[in-house]
Amino acid sequence: MVSLAQQLSVLRWSPLPSTSSSRPTTTHNRRTRTLLPVVCSVALSNAQNRERVKLKELFEQAYERCRTAPMEGVSFTVDQFTEALEKYDFDSEVGTKIKGTVFAVDASGAYVDVTAKSTAYLPLQEACIHRIKHVQEAGIVPGLREEFVVIGENEVDDGLILSLKAIEFDLAWERCRQLQAEDAVVKGKIVNGNKGGLVAEVEGLKGFVPFSQISTKLSGEELLEKELPLKFMEVDEEQSRLILSHRKAAADSQGQLGIGSVVTGTVQSLKPYGAFVDIGGISGLLHVSQISHDRITDIATVLQPGDILKVMILSHDRERGRVSLSTKKLEPTPGDMIRNPKLVFEKAEEMAQTFRQRIAQAEAMARADMLRFQPESGLTLSNEGILGPLSSELPAEGVDFNEVPSAEEHS
């Protein structure tokens, strides 16, 4: 007979028999895990569909309101809106001047707000009458409010193309007309040349100086990049003709030069026979014999182009535009132009005054001699060496007319 312990042992350690019910349970769990994402996807899709339907209804309602009552909720009427547009409307035809504010710049130009439907643009080449690399060089920066002129329209966005150069050109022509009326002398920089003359820049415009109107011995190449005094001969904006004359300007300057006066000049070029010196736009010749009392065999050892000198006016031919100069007369001691040119520069006015006094004394003596032999002229000599009519108030140190025979004794 089997004991109770043995029976319990069998019950404890015997494996449980497999039942058919365990397999369906595993399959059910797998089906549950498979169906769960599908259910979530369907739920999400339904929510999105409901949102789309809701948005569609809102758009349909808005469309219906715009169709049936477009001004509902708007704080202004159609007439007020039209009036506002007309208030800020402007003529955008080519040549029209409009006000605008620069709000941005780039390497090619500047963007300008002119209260139009599209942004206006100022190209770099239209920003200034002078050649520049950046609009900032012409003072064009964000915030600048200026008057522009319309020169075109951008076909892409209908934006206006503006110009400041066109306005500056108008002002330059007006200024040239005014200077011509005043017969004024202006400075012009030589920038180019051709067979007929030179091209000079004046007031931002290019003017033509015929060779016949140039009063200097320098060649066209030597005058490039130099400034010359000029006068206006013709100012024709319609034909874009600006004719200038250096000869007329030089004649005015020469009229102010007196023999013995000291002027400051710049050595322009050296020749075997002397140096040409620019004295206020006039080219004067400093002959080699008038540089120093000492003999000079090579001018280049004493002077160089670009040197600044003080020279004395010896003579000038107004008709031919020739001026003779001297530094020799300004030497405190002979040879100073070679040994100590700085001293000559410093003492120039003092030495010129001494030279003029010697000239005045020589002229006075010549006049006195003339009066001695020509008493019938009825002239006397003042202390200043000026001839004048005879009078009883002769200076104590004047000419002694007792030695002059009476006119009656010659009869």
Side-chain angles (χ1 to χ4, degrees):
M1 186 174 181
V2 180
S3 64
L4 179 61
Q6 292 176 337
Q7 293 178 358
L8 292 175
S9 174
V10 172
L11 292 173
R12 182 177 179 181
W13 299 105
S14 299
L16 292 174
S18 299
T19 60
S20 59
S21 61
S22 61
R23 291 182 179 177
T25 302
T26 303
T27 304
H28 175 72
N29 292 337
R30 290 177 179 175
R31 291 177 180 174
T32 302
R33 288 195 298 270
T34 304
L35 292 175
L36 183 59
V38 176
V39 173
C40 293
S41 176
V42 171
L44 182 61
S45 177
N46 291 337
Q48 291 176 343
N49 289 336
R50 287 195 297 270
E51 188 68 22
R52 291 192 184 97
V53 171
K54 185 177 179 180
L55 289 174
K56 181 180 179 182
E57 292 176 353
L58 290 175
F59 279 121
E60 289 177 348
Q61 293 173 5
Y63 173 76
E64 188 63 21
R65 286 197 303 270
C66 290
R67 189 178 65 83
T68 58
M71 299 304 295
E72 182 180 352
V74 179
S75 60
F76 54 85
T77 65
V78 175
D79 293 338
Q80 291 174 333
F81 180 70
T82 303
E83 183 180 352
L85 288 178
E86 292 176 351
K87 180 180 179 181
Y88 292 98
D89 190 22
F90 56 86
D91 187 2
S92 60
E93 293 183 358
V94 173
T96 304
K97 292 182 179 180
I98 58 176
K99 289 278 189 177
T101 303
V102 177
F103 66 87
V105 298
D106 60 17
S108 301
Y111 297 91
V112 184
D113 178 16
V114 292
T115 65
K117 61 181 179 179
S118 298
T119 298
Y121 192 68
L122 174 68
L124 174 63
Q125 63 270 20
E126 293 295 333
C128 184
I129 195 172
H130 302 286
R131 189 184 297 275
I132 57 176
K133 294 183 179 179
H134 306 283
V135 293
Q136 292 92 333
E137 296 178 28
I140 300 172
V141 295
L144 173 70
R145 183 164 179 80
E146 190 59 85
E147 184 178 53
F148 304 86
V149 62
V150 178
I151 61 172
E153 186 174 319
N154 191 330
E155 297 180 356
V156 177
D157 60 358
D158 295 332
L160 300 179
I161 300 176
L162 308 178
S163 175
L164 277 175
K165 183 171 69 174
I167 295 178
E168 292 179 354
F169 269 130
D170 290 341
L171 294 175
W173 281 108
E174 179 61 30
R175 176 64 176 159
C176 288
R177 283 191 290 268
Q178 179 182 355
L179 292 170
Q180 183 189 30
E182 296 173 358
D183 197 30
V185 176
V186 298
K187 287 284 187 178
K189 183 178 181 180
I190 306 301
V191 295
N192 206 342
N194 54 38
K195 294 181 179 180
L198 302 176
V199 178
E201 186 174 291
V202 177
E203 297 293 328
L205 301 176
K206 298 295 190 301
F208 184 65
V209 189
F211 280 128
S212 62
Q213 293 298 321
I214 295 177
S215 179
T216 178
K217 297 299 181 181
L218 298 180
S219 65
E221 293 183 356
E222 292 175 316
L223 289 172
L224 281 177
E225 300 302 318
K226 289 183 171 59
E227 287 191 343
L228 292 179
L230 302 167
K231 274 193 170 187
F232 294 94
M233 295 181 63
E234 181 180 351
V235 180
D236 189 341
E237 182 177 2
E238 292 184 0
Q239 299 295 327
S240 191
R241 285 168 56 89
L242 189 64
I243 310 299
L244 306 166
S245 172
H246 171 244
R247 186 175 295 278
K248 287 187 175 182
D252 281 4
S253 299
Q254 289 176 5
Q256 300 174 2
L257 298 178
I259 304 299
S261 61
V262 175
V263 294
T264 302
T266 304
V267 177
Q268 291 179 314
S269 63
L270 302 180
K271 304 294 181 183
Y273 50 85
F276 284 100
V277 181
D278 176 25
I279 49 175
I282 303 171
S283 183
L285 175 62
L286 177 60
H287 195 270
V288 63
S289 63
Q290 287 296 328
I291 296 177
S292 176
H293 285 84
D294 287 1
R295 178 179 172 80
I296 297 175
T297 56
D298 186 3
I299 300 177
T301 60
V302 183
L303 301 174
Q304 286 294 321
D307 288 350
I308 297 177
L309 307 174
K310 283 187 178 179
V311 294
M312 176 184 288
I313 307 297
L314 289 183
S315 64
H316 64 92
D317 186 339
R318 291 183 176 86
E319 293 183 358
R320 303 177 66 182
R322 294 183 177 180
V323 182
S324 298
L325 308 173
S326 175
T327 53
K328 174 180 177 180
K329 307 296 184 185
L330 303 179
E331 289 183 320
T333 55
D336 280 343
M337 268 301 294
I338 300 174
R339 294 185 295 270
N340 192 0
K342 183 178 180 181
L343 178 64
V344 178
F345 190 93
E346 294 174 351
K347 296 285 188 179
E349 283 78 9
E350 180 181 337
M351 296 304 299
Q353 179 64 26
T354 302
F355 176 79
R356 287 192 292 268
Q357 289 175 353
R358 291 201 300 265
I359 294 297
Q361 291 174 359
E363 290 178 350
M365 294 178 62
R367 291 173 182 175
D369 290 340
M370 181 185 67
L371 290 177
R372 288 178 186 276
F373 297 103
Q374 296 181 355
E376 66 276 7
S377 63
L379 300 177
T380 186
L381 195 66
S382 68
N383 287 335
E384 293 78 16
I386 300 175
L387 287 174
L390 287 170
S391 67
S392 59
E393 300 178 355
L394 291 176
E397 299 179 358
V399 179
D400 186 1
F401 284 97
N402 293 327
E403 299 181 4
V404 178
S406 173
E408 295 181 0
E409 296 180 1
H410 291 278
S411 56

